[in-house]
Amino acid sequence: MAITAGIKGEKKFVVNEDMLASRAGSGLVNVFGTPSMIAEIENTAAMSVQPELEEGKTTVGMAISVSHVAATPLGMEVRIETELTEVAPNGKVMTFKATCYDEAGLIGEGTHQRAIVDRARFEAKANAKGAK
């Protein structure tokens, strides 16, 4: 099954203590941390295309470029939106546009790339590195 541009994803959640910059190791402030925003972008993009993949396939993150332009406090709702904008000619690399909002407006945006892989083969290759 070929994946085509246009697939959208959306995720909503409330910022909890584990998502704070002070907990994620990216600063000392108690606001939604950039590493948490990046993880949520990756998750939203991954989950948006997973139902379209063949059994045994999944995606892995390859690259991300985002700006985090506004702080979000503990307890506020965040919404992540992703849209698949491009699929490489080989059908394996996907580029997503990501936009992030809190209840007050835009907090971040950027692009994210994911590759389609065979999950078992990918994990076996990674695990073999530790066996050397």
Side-chain angles (χ1 to χ4, degrees), residues 47-108:
M47 293 301 100
S48 73
V49 296
Q50 189 64 41
E52 306 299 321
L53 299 176
E54 297 172 17
E55 189 162 338
K57 301 285 186 181
T58 192
T59 62
V60 293
M62 294 177 52
I64 191 158
S65 176
V66 296
S67 59
H68 194 168
V69 299
T72 303
L74 177 68
M76 186 174 271
E77 185 178 87
V78 170
R79 183 176 84 250
I80 308 289
E81 296 177 354
T82 61
E83 181 177 359
L84 178 58
T85 58
E86 182 181 350
V87 179
N90 68 6
K92 295 182 180 182
V93 177
M94 300 172 291
T95 301
F96 296 83
K97 175 185 173 190
T99 314
C100 310
Y101 304 91
D102 66 17
E103 295 171 38
L106 181 73
I107 62 168

Side-chain angles (χ1 to χ4, degrees), residues 21-51:
S22 58
R23 289 272 181 99
S26 65
L28 301 176
V29 293
N30 292 317
V31 298
F32 185 48
T34 304
S36 298
M37 184 178 79
I38 289 169
E40 295 296 346
I41 289 169
E42 288 206 49
N43 179 261
T44 304
M47 293 301 100
S48 73
V49 296
Q50 189 64 41

